[in-house]
Amino acid sequence: MWEAIRRWFDPRELRSVGTTPDYRFSLANERTFLAWLRTGLALIAGGLAAAQFLPKLPLAHLREVISVALLLLGATVAVRAVDHWARTERAIRLNEELPASRFPAVLALIVAIGALLLVVAVLARGVG
């Protein structure tokens, strides 16, 4: 794990592997990384907004649970983004198959389940 984290911050090691790719591939990889980073920042902003602006919900501490869940999910997305960027850049330089990832599907499921739980909370508040 520490080895992977060290590689994120050491561009010399990344450049010492394989051959220099067409710059367009590296730029596309970077744009994908930035899109994931924006997603992580949006989740973090949502967590902060939930903590500050959601009214008291019918279940005790539900607002705090929603806030913490969004903040943790945003942090996870940010870390996953940099790890995927580094692994993809390495694969591009080595002319290997790009690393597969289940993370987008997992993230979509987590967001969908969270949205359904929020619908239940809103309906419970409206009925109660």
Side-chain angles (χ1 to χ4, degrees):
M1 180 173 120
W2 292 114
E3 182 65 26
I5 292 172
R6 187 183 64 73
R7 273 188 264 151
W8 298 346
F9 296 101
D10 188 3
R12 290 173 304 192
E13 177 163 330
L14 183 62
R15 289 190 174 132
S16 71
V17 173
T19 59
T20 303
D22 183 340
Y23 71 92
R24 293 173 293 182
F25 297 120
S26 291
L27 291 175
N29 187 32
E30 187 173 323
R31 282 191 302 275
T32 302
F33 162 72
L34 292 172
W36 277 107
L37 200 55
R38 282 190 303 274
T39 301
L41 288 170
L43 288 165
I44 290 168
L48 292 173
Q52 291 298 311
F53 301 117
L54 276 182
K56 293 270 187 204
L57 297 174
L59 298 171
H61 303 292
L62 181 57
R63 179 177 61 186
E64 290 79 10
V65 168
I66 292 168
S67 299
V68 169
L70 287 170
L71 291 168
L72 290 174
L73 190 55
T76 301
V77 168
V79 170
R80 179 66 181 102
V82 72
D83 181 61
H84 189 73
W85 169 82
R87 292 185 311 120
T88 300
E89 194 66 27
R90 183 176 178 83
I92 289 170
R93 293 184 70 81
L94 293 172
N95 202 26
E96 295 176 349
E97 188 173 333
L98 298 180
S101 177
R102 291 186 184 104
F103 188 75
V106 170
L107 180 63
L109 286 174
I110 290 170
V111 169
I113 290 168
L116 290 174
L117 291 173
L118 288 173
V119 166
V120 168
V122 168
L123 291 176
R125 182 170 187 232
V127 171

